[in-house]
Amino acid sequence: MNISYKWLKSLLEFELTPQQVAERLTRIGHAVEELTYLGSGFESVLAARALKVSKHPNADKLKLVEADYGATETLEVVCGAPNVKEGGLYPLALSGARLAGGMTVEKVKIRGVESRGMLCSEKELGLSAESAGLMELDPVWKPGTPLAEVLGREDWMLGIEVTANRGDMWSHLGVVRELQPFVSHKLRLPEAKPAESGPAINELTSVRIEDPEGCPRYMARVILEVKVGPSPRWLIERLAAVGQRSINNVVDVTNYILLELGQPLHAFDLDKLEEGRIVVRKARENEKIFTLDEVERSLGTSMTVIADGRKPVAVAGVMGDKLSEVDERTTRVLLECAYFNPVTNRRTARALGMFTEASRRFERGTDFDLMPYAVDRAARLIAEVASGKVARGVIDICPRPLLRNEVRLRRERVKRVLGVDFSEKEIEKLLSGLDFELEKEHKGLFRVKVPSSRTLDVRREVDLIEELARLWGYDRIPVPRRLELTPGTGGINGGPEWELRRKLAGMGYQEVLSSSFVDSKLIEKIYGAGRFEFWRLVAPISKEEDVLRPSLLPMLLACVRRNLNQRRRDLALFEIGNVFDRHPGEKGSGEQRRLALAVTGEYRPVHWSGPAPRQDFFALKGTLESLFDWLKVPPMRFAADSHPVLAPGTAASIVHDGEKIGVIGRLDSGAAAEMDLPAEICLAELDLKPVLASAAMPIYRPVSQFPGSRRDISILLGENTSCADLIEQVRRVSPLVAEVTVFDLYQGDRIPPGKISLALSILFQSRERTLRDEEVDRAFEEISRSLIEKFGVQPR
Amino acid sequence: MAGYLEKIEELAGQARQQIARAVSLEQLEQWRLNLLGRKGQVTAILHDLGQVSPGERPLVGKQANELKNEIGRLLEERRAALEKEQLERAAARSAIDVTLPGLRPWTGSIHPLNRTLSRVNEVLYSMGFSLAEGPEIEDEFHNFDALNTPADHPARDEHDTFFLEGGLLLRSHTSPVQIRHMQANPPPVRIIAPGRVFRRDTPDATHSPIFHQVEGLYVDENVTFGDLKYTLEQFALRLFGPDTTLRFRPSFFPFTEPSAEVDCSCIFCKRKGCRICKGSGWLEILGCGMVDPSVFEAVGYDPERWTGFAFGMGIDRICLLVHSIDDIRLFLESDTGFLSQF
C-alpha cells in the first residue's frame, strides 16, 4: 500500500518525520519497505518572478532576466526561451541544482554576461519529454516557494507491506490510527455532512436487497447537476503522490475515498440505470456483464451482483459495467457505499480472476460503522469538485447489522502467553491508544469492545494479546533464560540417511538435488506409456513440468547431460529424494524416498602412473556393496532382470528379503538417444526405507587368532550358472570357508565358446584352532566334488 | 733386527695409504688379503718372528702385532665408509620426485543445501529438538485448515499452492508436519521438521517454486513469548557465532499469534551496513510466533493448558547468505562446477 506522508498529516497532527513514521510503523508490524521523497530532482529549484526582461547586450536571441526568488536581492539570469515575460512566474534553478533532466546548474558567463541560475522548461526538469519554452507556474505562488511545493511534491511516499489480517491498513485512515499511540493529538476526520438541496433521494431512486447474506448493508446518495471533467489540482496531486492516475473528477473522488478511508465506492450514471433503481441480488446462471475492463464475463448463481431494473450493472464489490459508467455526459450520479460479505466477495473475485482495489478491501473486511461518514464525505466532495448538488437524504438499507466484537481479556492469560506481567493500567493505556474500549468486569478481567475497523481481525483474547505485545514492543519482552536446551532424541541429524550422504560423498560421489517436476511425455517416451500412474499438477508452470517425478533417474540423467555439455566427462552423482507414483495397489499417495546414482567416465582422475579403469556396472555395483556392508544391512541379491531404461543383459534388480527394492544397470541406447546422451552411463535407484530400516548396529565378533589356509580353484562355468550361485554353494558345503574371492575371469579362444573360466580363492579359517592341512584338503575336495555334481562345472 | 723394524715401518706406511685409497669394497678386500691373508705381508712377518733373535723378539713381536691391529682397525673403518657411500649411491639412484601429483580418488561432496540443513539440524538438536518428518503430498486440512487458514482466507494468497489432480496438493510449507506430529503425540512437544516445499512462484534469482524449510515447534505448560525469544537467540548464537543479535518485528501468520519476523544482525558486516544487508545491518531470516489457540483446537490440545511457539526459516535463503551465492536457481541446476565447491 502506497501512503502519502502529507495525506497522513491532513488527518492527524504530529511532529514525526517521514523516517520516524516509517520506523514506528515497522516497529508495530507494518513493514515500510520503501520511503521515497517525491520532490527529488527539484532541490534548489524555486518559483521566481521575472521582474524585468531586457535584451542581452551581445546576442540577439538571448534575454537578461531580473528575477525575484524570494530573497532580499534579485538575481540576473540569461535566458533564451521565447515565452519569458515580465511578471511571469517560472522555475528557477540555482547554481548547484541537479535537475531530473540530467543537468547540473552552474554559474556561467554567457556571451560576456554572468548568469547565476537558470530558468527551466518542463523537459529540463524531467517533467515531460519535450517542451517549447519555460514552464509557466500559477502566479498565485509566492516567489521563493520551492518548486516541489508548487508541484505538490513536497511529500514522501511510504510503501507499506500490509499483512493479510489487516484489511484496515489499506487506507490512510488505518495507518493514522496505528500512529495515534505515538503522538499527543487525536485523529480528526474532516467535516463530511454535505449541503443538501433539491428533491429527496427517494423520489429519484430506490434500493432493494434480495441477497442480504452477500450484502448486509447498502447505502446510496444521489448528486445532481454534476459536470464531469478534469479534477482540481489538489486531487490530482493527492492521487499522484501514491502513484494513481487521474481519470475524471467523479471517479477520482471515489478513488480518493477508497485510499483515504478504505471504503470502496461505486458511481453509477443514474440515467443509464434501467428503471432508475438498484437491486442487489444473486446473479442468474450464465448471466452476462460487460465489465469496465471491456471484457464480457459470464456470472454464476453464487455471485452477488448490483442490478438495475433489468440487468446486472456491477459485480458486487469487484467491478462495475461499461454501460452504466460515468462519462462526460453524465449529470446525475448514484453513489454506492456498501458492505459486501468478505467470503463471497473473495470467491467471486477468484472465480472471475479479477482482483481489484475494491475486492482486495471487501475480502479483508471493510469498516461497517464508517459507511455513513464515507458516503457523506464522498457526496460532499463530488458536489464540490464537479459543481453538483447533493439530493436530500441518504438511502441506508441494512438487513444484517454487523455488531462490534466484544472480547474478554484476562490479565493472567496475557502473562502466560507473553511472559510480561502488565498492570491493569498498562493494559488499558495500550489498548485504548488504538480505540479499543475497555470495561473492567472485575479484578484482572476486562470486557473489550473492538473498533469496527478491526471486526474481522480481532475476535479472540489472543488477538488482543498480540495487540499488547506489538504495542509494548517485542524488544522489551524479557528473555527468561529458563528453558533447558538439552539435546534431543533420535540422534543428531536423523541418523542413517545423513550417514549415507556423508559416506557417498567420501566415496567420491557428488550429491545433487533436482526438480520434483518432470515432463510426462519424456517419461512415457523412455519408459513406455502406462508404467507409472502420474500425479499431475493442475496448473504446472510449464508443460515440461506437468507431473511429479515417478523416479529419480530421468532428472539424474538430465544432470549428467548438463555436465557432459560442460565437458565434464567423469561423473559420479547421487540424489536422495521423494518420488511419487499413484499406481494401483499403492497405499496413500505412493510417495517414496529413494536413492539414485549415476556414473560415467573414469574411475579416478587422470594420473601419470597409468590409465584408470572405466566407471562401469561393476564399479557402481561395488559402491552399493560397500554401502550395504557398511550399513550392516543383510546381504542384498543382484538378480538379472530387465528394465525400460537399462540395456538388455546389463540390468539387474536389487533384492532384499525377497522384495525387489531397486535396479542397477547400464543406460539403454534407446533411452540414451531419446535424452541425447551417450550410452556409457550406469545407473542405480533404490528405495531407501527398507535399506535404512534394516541398517543395524555393528556387533563385535572376536578376530580369529588362528592362521587361515588358502586354496585356489579354477572353474569352467556354463551359461546358466551365475557366480553368486557358485559362491553360495562353496559356503554351504563347508563351515570352514571364511572368505571367497573371485580373482580372475577368462572368456576366449582357449576355452569352449559360451563358457567362462572363473578363478576362486577360498580362505579356510577357524576361530578356535589352527586347521590341519588334511582337514583343509578334505574340505576343498568336498567343495570341488559338490560343484561338479550341482552345476556340472569342471575344475581346471 | 733393524731390518725387521724398518720393514714393519715401511709396511705400515704402505698399508695406511692403500687402505685410504681403496675405492670399492672389492679392492679393500684385495688389500686385506694382501696384508692379513694367509699369504699376506703382515702374516708373513709374524710368521718369521721365529727367526728374530730372542733379545729382539719381544720388541719386533710387539711392533708386528700392533701393526696387525692397526691395519684391522683401518680396514674396518674404510669398509664402513665404503658401505655407507654405496648405500647413498643406491638411494640416489632410486629417489622419486616428491612434487609429482598423488593418486587421488574422486572427491564428492554433500549438496550445499543439505550442508546448511545439517548445520541447522545439529544446532537445534543440541537445543533439544528432535526430528519429525511428513509427506510432500498433503491435503488441505493439514496444509491450511488445521493451521487456522480456512478456505477463503486472504492469507492463502501468499501461498500460491500447487494443486494435484484429485484435490491433494504439494505442501506449501513444512507446518503440516507439526499438525501430524501433534495429532499423533500428546504434549509436551519439541520437534523440528525439515523438508522440501512448493509454491507457484515465477523462478528468478531469489525465487524458486521448489525450496526447503526447517520449522521448529515447542509446546509445553507455561511457554511464553519470552521463551521463544530466548530459544531463537540461542539458536542464532550457536549458528552464526557469539556476536549475533536478533531483532523481532511484529508480523502476521495465520497459525501463530502474536507473530514476528526476525532479523539477524548481518553476519558479514556486523551491523555496519554492507551490500548483502543492503546497508541496513540486518538480514531477515526467520518467521515465528506463539502457536494460535485454534491450531491447538484442531489437533485436540487444550489451548488453556498448553502454550507454545513455532518458528520457520528458508534453508535456501540461509545457504545463499552464508556462502555468498547470488542465484537460488543454482541449487537445482546440478552443475558440478558449482556443487563441487562445497
Side-chain angles (χ1 to χ4, degrees):
Chain A
M1 172 75 189
N2 290 343
I3 292 292
S4 149
Y5 173 74
K6 235 163 79 176
W7 201 332
L8 295 178
K9 285 207 114 172
S10 74
L11 297 169
L12 176 68
E13 212 172 300
F14 60 80
E15 302 298 324
L16 303 172
T17 63
Q19 290 71 22
Q20 286 170 326
V21 169
E23 188 276 325
R24 303 290 193 280
L25 288 174
T26 301
R27 196 202 300 169
I28 58 170
H30 312 294
V32 176
E33 303 200 310
E34 195 190 338
L35 180 62
T36 315
Y37 175 56
L38 298 176
S40 71
F42 304 112
E43 295 93 344
S44 306
V45 185
L46 310 170
R49 178 152 290 135
L51 294 178
K52 208 173 126 205
V53 180
S54 53
K55 269 192 57 163
H56 190 289
N58 307 323
D60 288 345
K61 289 195 172 168
L62 296 178
K63 288 162 190 154
L64 298 184
V65 181
E66 191 186 339
D68 169 10
Y69 66 111
T72 46
E73 287 169 28
T74 59
L75 195 78
E76 189 173 64
V77 296
V78 176
C79 172
N83 65 334
V84 59
K85 291 190 204 68
E86 282 184 6
L89 197 71
Y90 309 102
L92 170 69
L94 301 174
S95 77
R98 288 160 169 270
L99 303 183
M103 190 185 291
T104 302
V105 177
E106 281 160 37
K107 219 183 272 184
V108 283
K109 266 197 171 150
I110 302 174
R111 298 277 180 112
V113 180
E114 193 179 61
S115 181
R116 290 163 59 209
M118 186 175 103
L119 296 175
C120 306
S121 67
E122 291 195 4
K123 187 184 173 192
E124 284 155 345
L125 292 167
L127 291 169
S128 62
E130 279 308 319
S131 48
L134 296 184
M135 181 180 188
E136 296 182 11
L137 304 176
D138 188 336
V140 301
W141 291 99
K142 268 174 58 184
T145 312
L147 182 67
E149 197 182 326
V150 174
L151 297 175
R153 298 210 187 191
E154 191 58 36
D155 197 359
W156 282 261
M157 192 184 83
L158 294 86
I160 298 184
E161 190 188 43
V162 180
T163 54
N165 56 330
R166 294 299 300 268
D168 63 308
M169 290 297 285
W170 288 99
S171 69
H172 284 76
L173 178 61
V175 175
V176 157
R177 285 210 189 93
E178 292 285 304
L179 283 177
Q180 277 191 109
F182 300 105
V183 303
S184 48
H185 291 87
K186 287 300 267 185
L187 160 73
R188 46 147 214 260
L189 285 172
E191 177 56 43
K193 273 276 169 260
E196 299 178 348
S197 61
I201 190 165
N202 293 330
E203 293 162 28
L204 300 168
T205 186
S206 70
V207 173
R208 202 170 79 192
I209 298 182
E210 293 177 359
D211 176 17
E213 204 54 55
C215 179
R217 187 178 193 182
Y218 195 102
M219 298 186 74
R221 271 200 179 266
V222 171
I223 304 102
L224 304 166
E225 295 172 41
V226 164
K227 288 181 192 62
V228 178
S231 289
R233 188 157 201 98
W234 69 265
L235 184 50
I236 295 173
E237 283 170 3
R238 270 286 153 85
L239 295 177
V242 295
Q244 294 250 334
R245 211 163 38 86
S246 166
I247 295 163
N248 62 48
N249 46 11
V250 174
V251 173
D252 284 359
V253 168
T254 61
N255 285 336
Y256 178 88
I257 295 297
L258 172 114
L259 294 166
E260 180 168 283
L261 304 178
Q263 171 67 53
L265 302 167
H266 191 71
F268 294 102
D269 184 333
L270 182 53
D271 295 308
K272 292 181 187 168
L273 297 179
E274 290 189 69
E275 301 173 15
R277 63 193 182 97
I278 291 288
V279 180
V280 185
R281 60 169 168 83
K282 284 267 188 270
R284 307 199 170 100
E285 188 63 46
N286 283 326
E287 206 165 13
K288 298 285 189 292
I289 185 166
F290 188 66
T291 43
L292 275 170
D293 52 356
E294 311 201 344
V295 179
E296 188 181 71
R297 298 176 187 272
S298 188
L299 305 175
T301 55
S302 64
M303 301 175 182
T304 307
V305 293
I306 313 302
D308 58 16
R310 287 168 194 267
K311 59 178 192 305
V313 290
V315 182
V318 181
M319 196 181 277
D321 83 333
K322 194 77 186 158
L323 300 174
S324 62
E325 185 187 16
V326 168
D327 61 28
E328 42 312 345
R329 288 186 303 278
T330 301
T331 58
R332 303 199 303 160
V333 170
L334 183 143
L335 187 65
E336 162 195 297
C337 175
Y339 183 92
F340 296 115
N341 181 317
V343 171
T344 53
N345 179 273
R346 180 175 162 84
R347 284 186 191 155
T348 303
R350 268 199 102 80
L352 296 173
M354 298 169 84
F355 294 96
T356 62
E357 291 292 314
S359 75
R360 191 213 302 280
R361 288 166 177 84
F362 283 124
E363 73 172 38
R364 287 165 170 79
T366 48
D367 188 342
F368 203 85
D369 293 356
L370 188 72
M371 291 169 61
Y373 176 82
V375 75
D376 279 358
R377 179 143 156 79
R380 179 179 161 131
L381 277 177
I382 289 175
E384 195 179 302
V385 303
S387 60
K389 288 185 177 138
V390 180
R392 280 189 292 118
V394 56
I395 291 175
D396 185 357
I397 316 280
C398 185
R400 295 266 201 286
L402 194 65
L403 300 180
R404 284 172 61 184
N405 297 335
E406 287 197 359
V407 182
R408 285 205 159 77
L409 177 65
R410 293 164 294 173
R411 189 173 146 252
E412 187 49 39
R413 186 71 189 169
V414 176
K415 190 179 162 196
R416 271 194 69 183
V417 174
L418 299 182
V420 183
D421 197 3
F422 287 113
S423 70
E424 293 184 357
K425 238 204 179 94
E426 277 169 325
I427 289 176
E428 279 193 278
K429 182 163 172 278
L430 288 170
L431 288 178
S432 60
L434 286 185
D435 299 335
F436 288 91
E437 292 164 30
L438 282 79
E439 195 184 307
K440 205 163 126 183
E441 244 171 48
H442 53 75
K443 193 165 156 42
L445 180 69
F446 290 102
R447 202 167 63 219
V448 182
K449 207 165 175 191
V450 178
S452 60
S453 58
R454 307 287 305 277
T455 298
L456 239 57
D457 167 29
V458 182
R459 293 172 289 121
R460 304 163 304 165
E461 186 178 43
V462 68
D463 301 325
L464 290 172
I465 294 173
E466 178 185 46
E467 295 297 294
L468 288 170
R470 66 186 186 94
L471 290 172
W472 175 255
Y474 284 7
D475 49 346
R476 291 169 70 194
I477 293 176
V479 172
R481 302 184 176 278
R482 60 172 191 183
L483 289 192
E484 274 178 52
L485 302 180
T486 50
T489 57
I492 210 155
N493 263 336
E497 185 179 305
W498 286 91
E499 295 295 321
L500 201 67
R501 272 196 185 93
R502 291 192 192 102
K503 190 73 175 178
L504 277 165
M507 289 165 86
Y509 282 72
Q510 173 63 54
E511 184 182 25
V512 300
L513 291 174
S514 55
S515 173
S516 305
F517 306 140
V518 292
D519 181 359
S520 61
K521 287 228 175 54
L522 178 69
I523 304 282
E524 289 191 333
K525 254 186 208 159
I526 60 177
Y527 278 89
R531 169 134 186 141
F532 302 112
E533 193 77 27
F534 293 119
W535 277 105
R536 284 183 190 280
L537 294 171
V538 171
I541 287 181
S542 76
K543 65 181 195 317
E544 288 79 29
E545 298 176 295
D546 61 337
V547 297
L548 299 185
R549 56 185 180 191
S551 157
L552 296 176
L553 294 178
M555 286 309 279
L556 197 58
L557 285 170
C559 299
V560 170
R561 183 177 53 204
R562 179 181 183 85
N563 285 291
L564 289 177
N565 289 345
Q566 299 287 327
R567 295 167 186 254
R568 300 192 189 98
R569 289 166 309 169
D570 306 306
L571 298 167
L573 306 177
F574 78 99
E575 175 166 12
I576 293 174
N578 291 11
V579 301
F580 312 84
D581 182 3
R582 59 200 300 195
H583 228 280
E586 274 295 345
K587 288 188 294 284
S589 59
E591 189 171 331
Q592 241 182 24
R593 197 135 182 91
R594 292 216 179 136
L595 163 69
L597 305 100
V599 292
T600 185
E602 294 188 346
Y603 188 71
R604 56 159 171 78
V606 171
H607 194 254
W608 48 266
S609 61
R614 305 287 302 170
Q615 289 276 28
D616 61 3
F617 180 93
F618 294 104
L620 187 55
K621 183 184 176 189
T623 300
L624 290 179
E625 286 172 328
S626 282
L627 274 184
F628 294 150
D629 239 22
W630 168 81
L631 283 169
K632 307 293 167 216
V633 297
M636 302 276 175
R637 285 198 337 105
F638 290 76
D641 203 346
S642 66
H643 186 274
V645 300
L646 301 177
T650 72
S653 52
I654 303 167
V655 182
H656 165 68
D657 210 5
E659 292 252 354
K660 195 166 141 178
I661 60 148
V663 291
I664 178 171
R666 209 180 71 214
L667 180 62
D668 179 58
S669 55
E674 200 62 66
M675 294 200 69
D676 198 16
L677 280 165
E680 296 86 48
I681 297 169
C682 286
L683 300 167
E685 183 179 35
L686 58 157
D687 291 348
L688 267 189
K689 207 174 153 192
V691 177
L692 297 184
S694 57
M697 180 72 78
I699 301 298
Y700 167 74
R701 290 170 65 200
V703 179
S704 176
Q705 300 297 319
F706 305 97
S709 178
R710 276 189 188 282
R711 296 288 186 278
D712 292 351
I713 182 170
S714 183
I715 298 159
L716 260 190
L717 212 55
E719 273 164 11
N720 298 322
T721 312
S722 73
C723 175
D725 298 336
L726 208 62
I727 292 175
E728 205 182 322
Q729 181 66 16
V730 170
R731 287 182 171 283
R732 189 179 303 147
V733 170
S734 170
L736 299 179
V737 173
E739 190 186 285
V740 184
T741 320
V742 180
F743 70 92
D744 192 29
L745 181 148
Y746 178 78
Q747 251 176 317
D749 303 337
R750 285 183 283 134
I751 54 175
K755 301 257 177 190
I756 294 172
S757 165
L758 270 188
L760 304 184
S761 172
I762 305 169
L763 177 69
F764 298 87
Q765 194 173 30
S766 159
R767 289 174 189 286
E768 286 103 36
R769 60 199 167 81
T770 304
L771 297 177
R772 279 172 289 117
D773 273 356
E774 309 86 78
E775 270 183 294
V776 174
D777 287 342
R778 217 167 34 243
F780 184 62
E781 271 162 35
E782 211 177 317
I783 287 169
S784 305
R785 208 167 41 242
S786 100
L787 291 182
I788 297 169
E789 272 167 26
K790 184 113 182 166
F791 305 110
V793 297
Q794 302 143 22
R796 295 176 75 225
Chain B
M1 171 209 130
Y4 273 105
L5 288 177
E6 276 157 19
K7 205 172 169 190
I8 288 170
E9 195 60 30
E10 194 186 331
L11 196 55
Q14 185 193 333
R16 284 188 197 112
Q17 274 191 14
Q18 280 176 336
I19 290 168
R21 284 186 194 150
V23 293
S24 71
L25 288 169
E26 293 74 28
Q27 203 178 15
L28 194 68
E29 178 62 9
Q30 194 55 55
W31 294 138
R32 190 187 70 79
L33 288 175
N34 285 352
L35 291 165
L36 301 181
R38 242 177 342 123
K39 294 181 178 162
Q41 289 165 290
V42 180
T43 317
I45 288 178
L46 288 169
H47 199 259
D48 289 350
L49 266 183
Q51 296 167 17
V52 177
S53 63
E56 289 172 330
R57 203 176 285 162
L59 181 61
V60 173
K62 189 178 168 239
Q63 293 272 356
N65 268 314
E66 277 175 7
L67 176 64
K68 184 187 171 193
N69 290 342
E70 187 192 347
I71 288 172
R73 186 169 51 79
L74 288 175
L75 279 169
E76 193 49 46
E77 280 172 11
R78 188 62 194 149
R79 196 177 57 81
L82 281 173
E83 274 178 356
K84 196 172 162 228
E85 270 175 39
Q86 200 174 33
L87 275 175
E88 279 168 0
R89 271 200 305 278
R93 272 197 306 276
S94 63
I96 53 171
D97 178 355
V98 296
T99 65
L100 277 169
L103 180 60
R104 297 173 53 162
W106 293 116
T107 328
S109 79
I110 290 178
H111 194 284
L113 285 176
N114 277 331
R115 189 189 157 105
T116 305
L117 176 60
S118 154
R119 182 82 190 99
V120 169
N121 282 352
E122 274 167 25
V123 169
L124 289 169
Y125 169 81
S126 77
M127 295 167 61
F129 290 84
S130 304
L131 196 83
E133 280 175 319
E136 291 172 11
I137 292 183
E138 266 297 355
D139 52 37
E140 289 207 43
F141 176 78
H142 289 93
N143 197 70
F144 287 123
D145 299 344
L147 290 157
N148 195 29
T149 317
D152 306 311
H153 193 292
R156 284 206 182 185
D157 287 351
E158 282 153 33
H159 294 225
D160 203 345
T161 311
F162 281 108
F163 281 92
L164 299 166
E165 284 179 353
L168 295 181
L169 48 83
L170 289 172
R171 64 179 177 196
S172 57
H173 46 186
T174 46
S175 311
V177 181
Q178 301 179 7
I179 299 297
R180 288 181 183 278
H181 186 87
M182 286 192 281
Q183 283 177 322
N185 300 278
V189 167
R190 208 190 294 191
I191 55 161
I192 45 170
R196 183 171 271 208
V197 299
F198 307 83
R199 288 184 201 176
R200 249 187 131 274
D201 278 331
T202 312
D204 63 24
T206 54
H207 294 88
S208 166
I210 298 173
F211 59 104
H212 306 78
Q213 282 188 334
V214 176
E215 292 206 351
L217 174 70
Y218 193 131
V219 181
D220 208 333
E221 285 170 319
N222 298 315
V223 178
T224 69
F225 197 92
D227 297 318
L228 165 61
K229 284 177 68 177
Y230 176 54
T231 303
L232 291 182
E233 277 171 11
Q234 285 297 311
F235 169 70
L237 288 177
R238 294 171 196 210
L239 188 68
F240 295 124
D243 303 329
T244 314
T245 52
L246 294 183
R247 181 172 77 173
F248 290 75
R249 282 183 290 116
S251 189
F252 171 75
F253 306 107
F255 35 90
T256 52
E257 188 153 61
S259 305
E261 293 273 7
V262 182
D263 301 328
C264 168
S265 53
C266 179
I267 53 179
F268 296 98
C269 65
K270 305 284 174 207
R271 293 198 51 197
K272 286 187 201 77
C274 67
R275 191 180 56 81
I276 308 291
C277 61
K278 300 198 185 85
S280 72
W282 296 98
L283 299 169
E284 193 179 315
I285 56 155
L286 267 163
C288 65
M290 300 301 292
V291 178
D292 194 287
S294 61
V295 174
F296 284 150
E297 277 160 22
V299 298
Y301 285 12
D302 176 4
E304 278 296 307
R305 179 167 170 208
W306 305 100
T307 50
F309 58 78
F311 55 91
M313 69 200 94
I315 291 301
D316 303 62
R317 173 157 170 77
I318 292 177
C319 186
L320 289 175
L321 283 174
V322 168
H323 297 292
S324 299
I325 301 166
D326 58 7
D327 193 333
I328 196 171
R329 288 168 294 196
L330 288 167
F331 289 141
L332 298 188
E333 271 178 5
S334 306
D335 189 318
T336 56
F338 166 73
L339 296 173
S340 63
Q341 296 180 27
F342 299 93

